[in-house]
Amino acid sequence: MEPLSHMGSDMKIAVCVKQIPDPNTPYALDPETHFVERPQDQVLDDTDRYGVEVALQLAEGTESTVTLVSMCPAGNLQGVRQALAMGAHRAVIVNDPALRGSAALVTAKVLAAVLRKEEPDLVIAGTESTDGYTGVVPQQLAELLGIPSLTFARKVSHADDKIRIERLTANGYEVVESSLPVLISVTSGVVEPRYPTFKGIMAAKTKPVEQPTAADLGFGPDQVGPGASAQEIVGVRAAPERTAGRKVVDEGEAHLEIVKLLEQVKVI
């Protein structure tokens, strides 16, 4: 896969990332709130590796900086350190138990508060996290920050202080361009994420990680968490197992049985 093209001045780049429980390790739900019990050991969301790689490629050969921005329980910072080991320079992790159960819009407001302080030229995010799948936080962030949003980027380039992307669509792609500052959300496969080197892993241990609370960012207790999210999880149940299908033996008129079944479920 070809590296990203970039010809422009130095940038301050912020990448929105998230630590999640390892998908390969079973985890539990709180029996009362139905929230995920997040362990100390968490990994970098796989979709965010693409955003980090895009930022690093755009920063190569320049004095640009790459800052990770996240709202999550810090735990032992395993996932954040994975992104720092790839080459990001520093991280700001909003770590506060009061944020537990916050919905997408509250998450966007908290991240926006961090980004206003950071004043980046470019904000990069994945299209959605694999533990939430709302797919709306990047657009909410752009609206809160008052900057353009270029979504579903399958290719990114930087030249003359402008960002150009190929936006993935159902029928192909569109070429979209914006001046800085701008937010882009990238799709999986936009680049091939690098693997951290041993040198990068060791360096990540000493890179700065700030951990402000919601109060540090100016949020009161009634502005975060479930109470500010206008939603409630009332129950969780296992998905029903698939039942055995019906076999139709074709003796020349099987199509009539299929039509009858389609009529019963009101497809035709």
Side-chain angles (χ1 to χ4, degrees):
M1 185 174 292
E2 295 182 3
L4 301 184
S5 60
H6 60 96
M7 296 177 59
S9 57
D10 301 335
M11 292 188 293
K12 291 178 65 177
I13 306 174
V15 186
C16 296
V17 300
K18 192 175 186 182
Q19 295 187 138
I20 63 171
D22 188 339
N24 298 315
T25 303
Y27 53 88
L29 300 179
D30 184 302
E32 294 184 3
T33 64
H34 306 299
F35 298 150
V36 173
E37 294 284 3
R38 296 185 178 272
Q40 287 291 102
D41 293 329
Q42 297 189 86
V43 299
L44 180 68
D45 192 320
D46 192 60
T47 60
D48 292 333
R49 294 170 60 243
Y50 298 95
V52 174
E53 181 62 31
V54 167
L56 295 175
Q57 289 193 24
L58 291 175
E60 283 175 354
T62 72
E63 295 298 318
S64 299
T65 58
V66 177
T67 299
L68 309 173
V69 177
S70 185
M71 186 191 97
C72 62
N76 61 16
L77 293 173
Q78 178 183 347
V80 171
R81 296 292 183 195
Q82 288 173 345
L84 291 172
M86 290 174 67
H89 298 90
R90 53 187 285 269
V92 181
I93 311 302
V94 187
N95 177 28
D96 191 331
L99 295 168
R100 191 178 187 221
S102 296
L105 182 56
V106 174
T107 300
K109 289 178 178 178
V110 172
L111 294 175
V114 175
L115 292 168
R116 289 191 190 99
K117 290 178 177 290
E118 294 295 318
E119 296 183 326
D121 302 298
L122 174 63
V123 181
I124 303 176
T127 55
E128 58 188 357
S129 65
T130 53
D131 66 341
Y133 286 112
T134 64
V136 297
V137 171
Q139 296 86 328
Q140 291 174 333
L141 259 180
E143 179 69 18
L144 291 167
L145 295 171
I147 61 177
S149 172
L150 307 186
T151 57
F152 297 102
R154 72 165 203 170
K155 187 175 182 180
V156 183
S157 60
H158 173 221
D160 302 323
D161 290 327
K162 292 184 178 179
I163 294 292
R164 174 177 291 184
I165 73 163
E166 291 182 1
R167 190 208 323 260
L168 189 65
T169 70
N171 300 316
Y173 68 89
E174 303 167 338
V175 177
V176 189
E177 184 179 87
S178 173
S179 56
L180 302 173
V182 64
L183 180 147
I184 64 173
S185 60
V186 299
T187 61
S188 298
V190 60
V191 287
E192 185 64 36
R194 68 192 69 186
Y195 287 98
T197 62
F198 178 75
K199 181 180 178 180
I201 293 171
M202 297 305 294
K205 296 180 179 180
T206 59
K207 290 181 178 179
V209 179
E210 299 175 33
Q211 296 187 43
T213 64
D216 293 334
L217 298 172
F219 292 92
D222 60 338
Q223 295 177 295
V224 296
S229 298
Q231 67 180 35
E232 179 185 4
I233 302 174
V234 297
V236 177
R237 61 181 182 272
E241 295 184 3
R242 295 183 63 178
T243 58
R246 176 185 170 188
K247 294 182 179 180
V248 177
V249 179
D250 189 2
E251 295 180 349
E253 297 185 347
H255 63 284
L256 298 177
E257 289 295 319
I258 294 173
V259 170
K260 187 186 297 182
L261 290 171
L262 292 175
E263 288 177 339
Q264 289 176 0
V265 296
K266 300 182 178 179
V267 174
I268 59 174

